[in-house]
Amino acid sequence: MELSTLQALNVARASRRAAVVVTDLSEGTSQAFIEGDRIRAEWAAPVSEVLHSGRPRLLTIEERALFFNVHLPPPRIVAIGAVHISQALSRLAPVAGFDMAIIDPRTAFATAERFHGVELLADWPEDVLPDRPLDRYTALAALTHDPKIDDYPLRAALEAGCFYVGALGSRKTHAARSERLQTQGVATEAVARIKAPIGLDIGAASPAEIAVAVLAEIIGALRRRDVDLPAEGGK
């Protein structure tokens, strides 16, 4: 691998940004694109495809064999609330390839006994997130039903461009939440990004079933997220 390509990948890894390395197999040359970089128009579609799928592709473009290798940050789920849904979700998430952290200032709920082997942060989200910022490869699930705990991370997730933002609660609860967030200065179109009631509508009833519905919705959001690939003119 060329030094410039390796350096670009290191930059992407350190900043939790996606990168695609395009290698011309006939010439043995490669070029790395970090998500957000301008890219040749004829490469935009395959680069977008591998960013969504997470799988490399070998394609022939303009009679050249090109290998598109994708490097994605490990996707993660941040759950707000050490509740029963979080317990089930913390067991399912690693199976689907997600890192997971749980934040809850209520020490009676946020215990190692209830969340063995899970990254558990028994503190207020506003104290945790400035040092552990959310990003475009993070899904946030607000699960406490408590505005004092949920509202700050919801605002932070929308500002960070998290690929998924969901909140537990009925439509009536979410209507009140939406009004509250807009009063706090969150734009109407940003509030509309919040998935609420949280999870796919599969008729889930138990905490485990709700966790399955939430994880399925998160996976769908990850694979269909917007990618930042401004295209430049062709060669």
Side-chain angles (χ1 to χ4, degrees):
M1 183 179 293
E2 298 171 17
L3 179 59
S4 60
T5 299
L6 181 59
Q7 290 172 332
L9 291 178
N10 287 336
V11 168
R13 186 178 299 111
S15 59
R16 278 186 55 82
R17 294 166 66 194
V20 175
V21 177
V22 184
T23 302
D24 187 323
L25 297 182
S26 61
E27 297 180 358
T29 57
S30 62
Q31 186 174 358
F33 295 93
I34 298 177
E35 187 173 358
D37 288 350
R38 297 190 68 82
I39 189 169
R40 292 175 54 176
E42 62 267 32
W43 291 0
V47 168
S48 176
E49 180 184 341
V50 298
L51 283 172
H52 280 107
S53 70
R55 297 189 298 270
R57 287 290 309 274
L58 177 61
L59 297 171
T60 300
I61 299 177
E62 296 179 348
E63 300 183 351
R64 296 160 60 196
L66 301 176
F67 183 65
F68 294 79
N69 196 16
V70 61
H71 300 261
L72 298 179
R76 62 184 177 185
I77 299 170
V78 174
I80 308 300
V83 297
H84 292 306
I85 296 171
S86 301
Q87 285 181 299
L89 188 58
S90 68
R91 294 191 293 270
L92 295 169
V95 178
F98 290 88
D99 296 335
M100 185 164 176
I102 298 169
I103 303 172
D104 196 327
R106 303 170 300 180
T107 53
F109 294 94
T111 65
E113 292 76 18
R114 297 183 68 231
F115 292 92
H116 179 69
V118 180
E119 184 178 18
L120 187 61
L121 302 158
D123 211 337
W124 289 91
E126 51 262 51
D127 293 327
V128 173
L129 294 179
D131 295 326
R132 304 169 64 89
L134 305 171
D135 57 42
R136 290 169 57 85
Y137 284 84
T138 301
L140 183 116
L143 304 171
T144 74
H145 273 305
D146 187 339
K148 296 190 302 297
I149 302 174
D150 284 347
D151 281 6
Y152 175 86
L154 285 171
R155 295 199 311 269
L158 294 172
E159 290 171 3
C162 289
F163 74 85
Y164 175 88
V165 184
L168 191 66
S170 66
R171 288 178 173 81
K172 181 179 180 180
T173 297
H174 185 59
R177 177 191 294 124
S178 298
E179 183 176 348
R180 195 169 58 247
L181 291 173
Q182 290 175 71
T183 300
Q184 295 168 11
V186 182
T188 303
E189 57 271 22
V191 173
R193 290 191 53 226
I194 300 173
K195 301 293 186 181
I198 198 170
L200 294 183
D201 184 6
I202 58 173
S206 69
E209 290 174 348
I210 295 171
V212 170
V214 171
L215 182 59
E217 191 169 53
I218 288 173
I219 292 170
L222 177 65
R223 296 307 176 198
R224 298 185 179 97
R225 71 195 183 283
D226 291 334
V227 297
D228 184 12
L229 284 178
E232 60 187 25
K235 190 174 180 180

